[in-house]
Amino acid sequence: SENTMDEDTRQDLRARGDRFKAWAIERTVETSAPVQLLELPLEIVSKATSSRPRDRSETPEEISVSLNPSTVIKTTHVTVTRTQEIEESRMLLPVVSEEQRIMEVINHNPCVVLCGQTGSGKTTQVPQFLYEAGYGSLGTDNPGMIGITQPRRVAAVSMASRLKTEMGDAADRVGYQIRFDSACQPETAIKFMTDGVLLRELATDFLLTRYSVVIVDEAHERSINTDILIGILSRVLKVRAEMSQEEGSTTRPLKLIIMSATLRVSDFVENKTLFGVSPPVIKIDARQFPVTTHFAKRTSLKYVDDVYKKVCKIHNKLPPGGILVFLTGQGEIRQLCSKLKKSFCKTSSSEYTPKVRLSGREVTLEAEDVDFGNDIQDEENSEAEEFEESSSDEMLGCTSQPLHLLPLYSLLPTSEQLKVFQAPPTDHRLCVVATNVAETSITIPGIRYVVDSGKVKEKSYNRDTGVQSYDVKWISRASAEQRSGRAGRTGPGHCYRLYSSAVYERDFNEFTMAEINRAPIEGTVLQMKNMNIDQVVKFPFPTPPESRHLREAEELLSCLGALDSDGRITELGQSMAAFPLSPRFAKMLTIGGQHGCLPYVISIVAGLSVGSPFLEEFSLAEPLDVEDEKQVLTNEQLCKKEQRKRRRKEFFVAQQQFMKLDPMSDVLKLLSVICAFIYSQDKQEFCEKFFLRPKAMEEIDKLRKQLTEIVLSNSPVALGRNGTYEKKPSLPKSVQIKAIRQIVAAGFSDQAAVRADLVPSESIKEFAKGFKKGIIYVVVARSGQLETCLENCLAIVHSSSVINCKTTRQAVPDYIIYQELVRSSGGSDRVYIKPLTPISAQHLTILAKSTPLITYSKPLEYPRPVVSSDGMSRECMVVPRYGVGKGWE
Ligand code: CDP
Ligand code: MG
């Protein structure tokens, strides 16, 4: 429907959203007086003792308890007819026996936090309670939809489907929306969606007028989206409450329910900037059977192989009960599944010859025989040890019982995902191989054995480059507990951890840190601005980053042209926000499509992100330690020195190969290396020959491919004529080399330096004389002025830079752009800059137009950038189409 909206409507919506936001945020900052709340105990601890069928007569037909009118929504009860089977299974859920209490607290409070173990029925039941209480009903008194957000798409779709089944005659009132896929109708009353979808809705409808309740599920995961969502919703609640009390208002108050699988909710509850007062916390005690945890003796390195062995052993030797395996991603899951399939899932019986060869004592672990307790044992002294020792690889796949093998990961088609909820065929043992989604989002019935790799694929960030990647990491101890808990839902169970208790104690964090505190702040601020949240410093984060960092991030973003002078996102900023990268690199990629430079720019971004691939022991410059020369050296030392000299010479010759494109630019040298690596036949040999770190080169190449994918998905035509992308970039033409320099400068226009001798300041010149060696530059501060503090402003060209290379007869460039400023580790306060790209003053002025840099010729009067009357467009080719240089087109 958004596509059919005309441009004017869209702009109007956006402007309205903006106004509301500014209004809401300002207002809520003023009104520090807490919203008046009902006197309810802050913690309502309930124990699910018996599954008590609900007595309908207890529920009043009309709920309109009115002590605090701003929080009460007048609703009319709705009856849902479910099948007998569904009703019975619902009765077993701890949340259902607490319906009345939960609804009472929800009715009387604008925001409620609900904690309950995975599988207690939060996600599937609470929306139904609300629906029955009349929250989702439509009509003249329409209070609006019930929205439920999930961090994962799998969960949004599968939970919606489950609810459809449960709600019987009201199935068509359930819908879902995820990115690129929506199943919502006008009559949808309960809407499941990813948190990203609701954030996008907020950008156009800040008051969420279509909703009466929003449930933020899986809040314990603390994704950036969840945190931002809770921050915004805290404001929407207040604004809706205030508006509902205005004379003749038709607006109704909004309810917020935060649901968590853990009790760690203090960031939402105790943070007074969010809701003014602490929202009540409802804890649901779920019945949980004891789970025996077995640690491995040694931590597995090839965990997929070890998982395979473990599953085989469980399947061969242990009593019935489903197996749930935790791995990190689709690749691993498929690998394991195909191995297991070969062993256990032979379809034709002639093909399959069970050979039961149990060496040693046969171990039968009956649930009753085993001393189940929630104690954690090391494998050494556990009953399972014998089971461990008596087994060998030979007997893998020797049981006659077939395995009902099901993978579960987010990219799996929905119909496949939903299979995990169906009972396995008779005589089959269920084995689900899942990602983290089975940790708390999805409860699979009938699991008795959990095999935990201890790993998770986590979004991680390089603080310096802002590059996001998914890395395989250790889970937290809290996650490990959650995973073992999955084995104790239907009866006593076992959890096999493929890591030792020592590793668990030493290497595992207690909790997973909130993503917002791990991610580089510039990227987050850019994303928030892209959601039209203009005042990030005042934003009510559950765990706020330091406001100084937020301000610095805003400054950098305006420097890059991503924000306008009012701090609002520009068109350029919007394009940049599409890249999961540091905003600098995002800008380079955004404007990198000019002159066919994109493949080169992608390579450069990959290279700069990973860091220099050159072996550091050699550098192009002479060693700086002059002292050495004076010492009398022993033969051995002389020999070593000779050897080193020879290696250095070789290194130098090798490096020369890469300096042909541009003898004065480190960045172009890096580009040459990357491209040559792509063409090289034997990568190992190539790295040896040219003094490169193979690991770094591989990483660069991997990132280059990933970035290419991202760019292709953002703008398929950007990467080349006919939309086809050349896998191997050809040699750039001279016009492209010029453009590349400018594109790099556009990403780092706030990191410029001017050669010290060009600065007409006697004191600086005097000071520069103090440096005996090296080429000295004066760093231009972001304000466009020269740094006032002399110690801070003089920087030496790092010894690894090609600018130091003495054989080139080229003049040392006047202006350069640097990526990194490093302080020497020794006692001296010297500052080095690397890697460098020369840039002309004119280009710098144009490319950094959005920054005050244009004024930097004023105070010190060094070579004033020349701006001719007909513009620089002929010279400066990369005048961006995006905002920055509008006057130059
Ligand atoms: O959200 P929470 O973890 O508290 O529990 P839930 O997801 O609402 O699940 C409640 C129960 O419904 C569990 O026993 C699930 O196994 C079951 N369920 C199901 O049988 N089929 C589904 N598609 C989803 C849930
Ligand atoms: Mg849930």
Side-chain angles (χ1 to χ4, degrees):
S1 62
E2 226 182 56
N3 299 339
T4 56
M5 215 186 276
D6 62 54
E7 191 51 35
D8 284 348
T9 323
R10 212 174 299 171
Q11 269 180 7
D12 180 51
L13 275 176
R14 170 163 280 205
R16 264 200 346 237
D18 280 355
R19 275 205 307 280
F20 276 131
K21 241 161 291 169
W23 176 61
I25 290 173
E26 255 150 44
R27 260 172 108 108
T28 47
V29 168
E30 280 164 27
T31 51
S32 53
V35 177
Q36 199 194 343
L37 280 176
L38 254 186
E39 288 282 316
L40 267 169
L42 274 188
E43 290 195 348
I44 299 159
V45 184
S46 44
K47 239 192 167 64
T49 37
S50 66
S51 34
R52 173 175 60 97
R54 283 168 311 142
D55 183 354
R56 284 273 178 238
S57 65
E58 279 175 28
T59 324
E61 272 299 286
E62 262 212 336
I63 307 162
S64 59
V65 194
S66 178
L67 280 178
N68 178 0
S70 74
T71 62
V72 177
I73 301 178
K74 216 172 158 198
T75 53
T76 316
H77 197 93
V78 179
T79 314
V80 175
T81 321
R82 303 180 181 84
T83 65
Q84 178 74 16
E85 194 194 341
I86 291 287
E87 280 295 2
E88 274 166 16
S89 70
R90 291 184 77 219
M91 287 311 151
L92 297 171
L93 296 171
V95 160
V96 174
S97 44
E98 294 299 323
E99 172 174 358
Q100 285 221 323
R101 287 224 260 174
I102 294 171
M103 284 314 295
E104 218 161 89
V105 184
I106 290 175
N107 280 327
H108 294 155
N109 290 277
C111 174
V112 175
V113 178
L114 182 67
C115 306
Q117 272 200 8
T118 309
S120 53
K122 300 183 299 298
T123 312
T124 52
Q125 305 310 315
V126 176
Q128 298 189 60
F129 300 166
L130 289 162
Y131 179 74
E132 285 177 286
Y135 279 88
S137 60
L138 309 169
T140 41
D141 259 0
N142 174 16
M145 281 188 289
I146 301 159
I148 307 109
T149 71
Q150 295 285 334
R152 293 189 193 77
R153 301 207 271 168
V154 195
V157 180
S158 73
M159 289 300 150
S161 139
R162 172 67 185 174
L163 232 65
K164 269 186 185 293
T165 319
E166 289 202 9
M167 301 227 334
D169 63 337
D172 56 346
R173 311 302 300 277
V174 186
Y176 71 84
Q177 189 184 348
I178 59 178
R179 203 169 179 195
F180 307 128
D181 184 13
S182 169
C184 284
Q185 279 130 12
E187 66 268 23
T188 301
I190 301 177
K191 176 172 163 184
F192 282 83
M193 65 202 126
T194 52
D195 38 24
V197 166
L198 190 63
L199 281 171
R200 267 189 292 277
E201 270 182 41
L202 276 159
T204 48
D205 177 16
F206 179 72
L207 292 179
L208 291 180
T209 43
R210 293 159 61 214
Y211 295 88
S212 59
V213 194
V214 171
I215 303 173
V216 177
D217 203 359
E218 310 288 323
H220 61 273
E221 288 200 11
R222 299 297 304 277
S223 67
I224 291 184
N225 278 355
T226 302
D227 275 16
I228 292 179
L229 201 51
I230 289 178
I232 300 180
L233 290 173
S234 75
R235 293 307 178 257
V236 180
L237 283 194
K238 291 189 183 182
V239 177
R240 285 263 299 253
E242 282 172 19
M243 286 177 73
S244 69
Q245 290 193 311
E246 279 165 16
E247 278 279 311
S249 162
T250 51
T251 312
R252 288 156 188 282
L254 180 74
K255 298 267 180 204
L256 172 63
I257 302 165
I258 300 174
M259 300 206 295
S260 163
T262 72
L263 293 176
R264 210 167 160 256
V265 288
S266 58
D267 290 340
F268 308 126
V269 177
E270 279 154 30
N271 182 342
K272 296 283 191 292
T273 57
L274 275 176
F275 303 105
V277 287
S278 301
V281 179
I282 310 171
K283 292 178 187 167
I284 305 292
D285 264 12
R287 198 160 44 123
Q288 173 81 12
F289 293 95
V291 174
T292 315
T293 310
H294 311 271
F295 279 104
K297 279 181 214 161
R298 278 172 300 278
T299 299
S300 148
L301 290 174
K302 292 160 127 189
Y303 56 87
V304 182
D305 292 350
D306 289 7
V307 166
Y308 169 70
K309 286 181 199 160
K310 194 61 95 187
V311 172
C312 290
K313 283 168 194 164
I314 293 171
H315 186 47
N316 283 330
K317 296 194 151 193
L318 297 186
I323 307 171
L324 171 61
V325 177
F326 284 101
L327 284 175
T328 73
Q330 184 181 351
E332 287 173 8
I333 291 176
R334 287 195 160 180
Q335 192 187 333
L336 179 67
C337 284
S338 77
K339 259 179 117 172
L340 285 170
K341 223 177 231 150
K342 273 188 208 133
S343 307
F344 296 111
C345 304
K346 304 256 166 80
T347 39
S348 117
S349 56
S350 60
E351 227 180 292
Y352 182 60
T353 42
K355 38 177 178 134
V356 184
R357 269 209 326 219
L358 286 178
S359 52
R361 189 162 66 96
E362 191 174 324
V363 184
T364 45
L365 286 178
E366 289 299 333
E368 300 82 74
D369 296 346
V370 188
D371 178 22
F372 284 107
N374 256 341
D375 53 338
I376 287 172
Q377 335 182 329
D378 271 46
E379 202 98 273
E380 278 110 304
N381 38 29
S382 78
E383 190 114 4
E385 195 199 353
E386 282 156 74
F387 141 72
E388 193 68 29
E389 286 192 341
S390 62
S391 45
S392 69
D393 279 6
E394 289 167 66
M395 43 164 277
L396 299 181
C398 63
T399 181
S400 54
Q401 192 193 9
L403 201 61
H404 183 55
L405 192 60
L406 295 172
L408 180 64
Y409 50 85
S410 61
L411 291 176
L412 205 66
T414 313
S415 58
E416 294 294 309
Q417 287 170 8
L418 291 173
K419 282 187 183 162
V420 300
F421 295 108
Q422 293 156 11
T426 31
D427 293 340
H428 281 59
R429 189 201 287 270
L430 176 70
C431 176
V432 178
V433 186
T435 59
N436 214 29
V437 70
E439 191 177 296
T440 62
S441 296
I442 287 178
T443 311
I444 300 152
I447 297 300
R448 199 164 160 201
Y449 307 99
V450 165
V451 180
D452 178 15
S453 64
K455 302 282 173 122
V456 67
K457 210 175 256 181
E458 196 181 76
K459 202 191 259 182
S460 63
Y461 302 87
N462 179 325
R463 280 229 161 247
D464 299 325
T465 62
V467 176
Q468 286 174 19
S469 52
Y470 282 90
D471 293 344
V472 174
K473 296 207 170 140
W474 286 123
I475 54 174
S476 66
R477 274 177 245 157
S479 288
E481 295 318 312
Q482 284 288 345
R483 288 182 178 189
S484 34
R486 299 303 108 241
R489 290 254 315 133
T490 25
H494 286 270
C495 171
Y496 297 94
R497 295 179 172 169
L498 298 182
Y499 41 91
S500 71
S501 57
V503 165
Y504 172 84
E505 293 297 337
R506 191 190 60 217
D507 298 340
F508 281 38
N509 291 325
E510 200 182 347
F511 299 103
T512 315
M513 200 200 262
E515 194 185 352
I516 208 152
N517 301 113
R518 286 187 280 128
I521 198 77
E522 296 89 12
T524 307
V525 171
L526 182 62
Q527 294 305 334
M528 289 174 73
K529 297 275 180 179
N530 198 33
M531 295 168 198
N532 291 334
I533 302 167
D534 296 328
Q535 306 198 32
V536 289
V537 177
K538 285 186 192 169
F539 189 81
F541 295 96
T543 45
E546 268 186 54
S547 55
R548 180 170 57 94
H549 293 156
L550 288 167
R551 263 192 292 272
E552 281 170 7
E554 279 189 297
E555 251 172 61
L556 172 66
L557 290 171
S558 6
C559 238
L560 293 174
L563 305 181
D564 63 17
S565 52
D566 298 329
R568 282 165 208 262
I569 195 145
T570 58
E571 208 185 313
L572 171 67
Q574 284 169 359
S575 320
M576 283 163 62
F579 294 101
L581 289 172
S582 140
R584 293 180 187 282
F585 293 142
K587 180 171 179 185
M588 286 167 62
L589 291 176
T590 306
I591 65 167
Q594 304 176 54
H595 299 274
C597 287
L598 211 39
Y600 308 117
V601 176
I602 290 173
S603 302
I604 290 172
V605 168
L608 291 176
S609 303
V610 172
S612 171
F614 300 102
L615 286 169
E616 266 154 31
E617 52 194 296
F618 304 103
S619 63
L620 292 168
E622 288 298 320
L624 290 172
D625 42 345
V626 215
E627 304 294 300
D628 246 22
E629 311 283 329
K630 292 173 194 158
Q631 278 173 9
V632 188
L633 300 173
T634 65
N635 267 353
E636 200 186 331
Q637 279 171 325
L638 273 173
C639 197
K640 266 205 179 134
K641 210 180 156 193
E642 239 357 87
Q643 211 178 342
R644 214 184 127 72
K645 242 185 181 163
R646 207 174 46 243
R647 288 282 287 167
R648 273 173 53 86
K649 202 162 185 179
E650 282 169 21
F651 175 75
F652 183 77
V653 173
Q655 301 287 300
Q656 292 271 307
Q657 298 289 321
F658 305 119
M659 287 158 60
K660 289 175 187 158
L661 280 185
D662 183 346
M664 276 297 143
S665 168
D666 293 320
V667 173
L668 276 145
K669 179 177 138 193
L670 183 64
L671 175 66
S672 306
V673 171
I674 297 168
C675 293
F677 182 81
I678 301 172
Y679 279 93
S680 70
Q681 294 293 326
D682 185 337
K683 311 281 179 209
Q684 193 67 35
E685 189 195 309
F686 178 85
C687 290
E688 267 167 40
K689 189 172 166 199
F690 292 105
F691 298 79
L692 296 161
R693 290 186 290 131
K695 262 247 163 71
M697 286 312 297
E698 272 158 33
E699 222 174 298
I700 291 173
D701 206 45
K702 203 173 113 202
L703 186 57
R704 192 183 61 85
K705 286 173 188 150
Q706 282 172 358
L707 290 175
T708 308
E709 290 299 315
I710 295 170
V711 172
L712 279 172
S713 65
N714 277 351
S715 53
V717 275
L719 265 177
R721 276 157 266 139
N722 319 327
T724 49
Y725 171 60
E726 284 177 70
K727 287 246 155 54
K728 293 180 173 184
S730 47
L731 216 57
K733 299 181 209 67
S734 74
V735 78
Q736 288 176 315
I737 293 173
K738 271 190 189 172
I740 291 168
R741 281 183 174 190
Q742 294 171 23
I743 290 165
V744 173
F748 291 86
S749 56
D750 59 325
Q751 298 195 354
V754 54
R755 219 170 64 222
D757 59 295
L758 292 176
V759 181
S761 152
E762 285 312 313
S763 56
I764 287 185
K765 279 184 182 151
E766 215 30 55
F767 196 78
K769 278 184 194 155
F771 296 79
K772 291 208 179 74
K773 283 219 159 188
I775 301 163
I776 317 293
Y777 276 85
V778 183
V779 169
V780 181
R782 200 178 280 172
S783 67
Q785 316 275 319
L786 291 179
E787 284 274 8
T788 43
C789 174
L790 284 178
E791 281 83 356
N792 279 348
C793 78
L794 292 185
I796 308 169
V797 172
H798 193 266
S799 57
S800 64
S801 173
V802 294
I803 290 181
N804 277 313
C805 187
K806 290 197 177 120
T807 55
T808 48
R809 268 182 236 118
Q810 304 242 354
V812 175
D814 295 354
Y815 292 89
I816 50 164
I817 291 287
Y818 61 89
Q819 264 81 55
E820 242 184 290
L821 206 144
V822 278
R823 244 158 248 288
S824 65
S825 46
S828 72
D829 272 338
R830 303 234 155 132
V831 176
Y832 297 89
I833 41 178
K834 68 169 186 183
L836 310 175
T837 313
I839 187 81
S840 74
Q842 299 99 299
H843 297 169
L844 194 55
T845 324
I846 299 162
L847 296 168
K849 206 173 172 201
S850 56
T851 75
L853 232 150
I854 192 138
T855 66
Y856 73 74
S857 62
K858 280 275 162 62
L860 283 159
E861 290 193 349
Y862 49 121
R864 194 190 166 86
V866 195
V867 181
S868 59
S869 55
D870 67 335
M872 302 301 306
S873 42
R874 267 177 292 121
E875 255 297 287
C876 185
M877 298 168 304
V878 184
V879 176
R881 287 163 280 159
Y882 301 93
V884 186
K886 280 229 163 95
W888 296 100
E889 278 165 314

Short mmCIF file of all heavy atoms in Angstrom, two decimals, residues 23 41 55 152 288 360 382 465 571 584 586 589 602 621 663 739 781 832:
data_model
loop_
_atom_site.label_atom_id
_atom_site.label_comp_id
_atom_site.label_asym_id
_atom_site.label_seq_id
_atom_site.Cartn_x
_atom_site.Cartn_y
_atom_site.Cartn_z
N TRP A 23 7.43 17.06 19.27
CA TRP A 23 6.50 17.45 20.30
C TRP A 23 6.57 16.49 21.49
O TRP A 23 6.75 16.88 22.63
CB TRP A 23 5.09 17.44 19.70
CG TRP A 23 3.99 17.74 20.64
CD1 TRP A 23 3.82 18.89 21.33
CD2 TRP A 23 2.91 16.88 20.98
NE1 TRP A 23 2.69 18.81 22.10
CE2 TRP A 23 2.11 17.58 21.90
CE3 TRP A 23 2.55 15.59 20.61
CZ2 TRP A 23 0.96 17.02 22.45
CZ3 TRP A 23 1.40 15.05 21.14
CH2 TRP A 23 0.63 15.77 22.05
N PRO A 41 1.28 -4.12 43.87
CA PRO A 41 2.63 -4.58 44.25
C PRO A 41 3.51 -4.62 43.01
O PRO A 41 3.06 -4.99 41.92
CB PRO A 41 2.38 -5.98 44.79
CG PRO A 41 1.02 -6.37 44.32
CD PRO A 41 0.26 -5.10 44.14
N ASP A 55 -12.78 -19.77 35.04
CA ASP A 55 -14.21 -19.64 35.24
C ASP A 55 -14.65 -18.35 34.56
O ASP A 55 -14.27 -17.26 34.97
CB ASP A 55 -14.48 -19.58 36.75
CG ASP A 55 -15.97 -19.52 37.04
OD1 ASP A 55 -16.74 -19.40 36.05
OD2 ASP A 55 -16.36 -19.58 38.21
N ARG A 152 13.00 -11.96 15.47
CA ARG A 152 13.29 -12.82 14.33
C ARG A 152 12.06 -13.08 13.48
O ARG A 152 10.96 -13.23 13.98
CB ARG A 152 13.80 -14.18 14.79
CG ARG A 152 15.13 -14.10 15.45
CD ARG A 152 15.66 -15.49 15.67
NE ARG A 152 16.79 -15.44 16.57
CZ ARG A 152 16.65 -15.29 17.87
NH1 ARG A 152 15.45 -15.23 18.39
NH2 ARG A 152 17.70 -15.20 18.63
N GLN A 288 9.25 -26.89 35.69
CA GLN A 288 10.40 -27.31 34.91
C GLN A 288 10.94 -28.59 35.53
O GLN A 288 11.12 -28.67 36.74
CB GLN A 288 11.46 -26.20 34.96
CG GLN A 288 12.78 -26.54 34.33
CD GLN A 288 12.74 -26.38 32.81
OE1 GLN A 288 11.81 -25.81 32.25
NE2 GLN A 288 13.73 -26.94 32.13
N GLY A 360 31.24 -53.65 25.10
CA GLY A 360 31.19 -53.35 26.53
C GLY A 360 29.79 -53.51 27.07
O GLY A 360 28.91 -54.10 26.46
N SER A 382 30.03 -38.66 35.68
CA SER A 382 28.61 -38.80 35.45
C SER A 382 28.32 -40.21 34.95
O SER A 382 29.19 -40.92 34.45
CB SER A 382 28.13 -37.80 34.40
OG SER A 382 28.47 -38.27 33.14
N THR A 465 36.20 0.44 12.34
CA THR A 465 35.72 0.55 10.96
C THR A 465 34.21 0.49 10.89
O THR A 465 33.63 0.84 9.88
CB THR A 465 36.28 -0.60 10.12
OG1 THR A 465 35.80 -1.83 10.67
CG2 THR A 465 37.78 -0.59 10.12
N GLU A 571 19.44 13.24 2.10
CA GLU A 571 19.26 12.18 1.11
C GLU A 571 20.49 11.28 1.08
O GLU A 571 20.39 10.06 1.02
CB GLU A 571 19.06 12.83 -0.26
CG GLU A 571 18.23 12.02 -1.20
CD GLU A 571 18.19 12.69 -2.55
OE1 GLU A 571 17.95 13.92 -2.61
OE2 GLU A 571 18.42 11.98 -3.54
N ARG A 584 31.62 6.39 7.33
CA ARG A 584 32.65 6.84 6.37
C ARG A 584 32.68 5.93 5.15
O ARG A 584 32.67 6.39 4.01
CB ARG A 584 34.03 6.79 7.02
CG ARG A 584 34.24 7.75 8.13
CD ARG A 584 35.65 7.55 8.66
NE ARG A 584 35.87 8.34 9.86
CZ ARG A 584 36.11 9.62 9.87
NH1 ARG A 584 36.16 10.28 8.74
NH2 ARG A 584 36.28 10.28 11.00
N ALA A 586 30.40 3.82 4.34
CA ALA A 586 29.08 3.84 3.70
C ALA A 586 29.04 4.99 2.69
O ALA A 586 28.52 4.86 1.60
CB ALA A 586 28.00 3.99 4.74
N LEU A 589 31.01 4.11 -0.44
CA LEU A 589 30.28 3.20 -1.32
C LEU A 589 29.10 3.90 -1.98
O LEU A 589 28.76 3.63 -3.13
CB LEU A 589 29.78 1.99 -0.53
CG LEU A 589 30.87 1.02 -0.05
CD1 LEU A 589 30.28 -0.08 0.80
CD2 LEU A 589 31.62 0.42 -1.23
N ILE A 602 34.94 -0.74 -3.42
CA ILE A 602 34.62 -1.89 -2.55
C ILE A 602 35.90 -2.54 -2.05
O ILE A 602 36.05 -2.82 -0.87
CB ILE A 602 33.76 -2.92 -3.32
CG1 ILE A 602 32.36 -2.33 -3.58
CG2 ILE A 602 33.65 -4.23 -2.56
CD1 ILE A 602 31.49 -3.19 -4.46
N ALA A 621 60.69 3.11 4.76
CA ALA A 621 61.60 4.15 5.22
C ALA A 621 62.82 3.53 5.89
O ALA A 621 62.80 2.38 6.30
CB ALA A 621 60.89 5.06 6.20
N PRO A 663 52.18 6.47 -7.33
CA PRO A 663 53.34 6.30 -6.44
C PRO A 663 53.22 7.07 -5.13
O PRO A 663 54.06 6.93 -4.27
CB PRO A 663 54.51 6.80 -7.28
CG PRO A 663 53.90 7.65 -8.33
CD PRO A 663 52.52 7.16 -8.57
N ALA A 739 39.44 9.82 -9.66
CA ALA A 739 38.15 9.74 -8.98
C ALA A 739 38.27 8.98 -7.66
O ALA A 739 37.69 9.37 -6.65
CB ALA A 739 37.13 9.07 -9.88
N ALA A 781 42.02 20.21 12.11
CA ALA A 781 40.99 19.70 13.00
C ALA A 781 39.64 19.71 12.30
O ALA A 781 39.47 20.33 11.27
CB ALA A 781 40.92 20.55 14.26
N TYR A 832 51.80 9.56 14.46
CA TYR A 832 52.04 9.13 13.08
C TYR A 832 50.72 9.04 12.33
O TYR A 832 49.69 8.73 12.93
CB TYR A 832 52.74 7.77 13.07
CG TYR A 832 54.09 7.82 13.72
CD1 TYR A 832 54.24 7.60 15.08
CD2 TYR A 832 55.24 8.10 12.96
CE1 TYR A 832 55.48 7.66 15.69
CE2 TYR A 832 56.48 8.17 13.57
CZ TYR A 832 56.60 7.95 14.93
OH TYR A 832 57.82 8.02 15.52
#
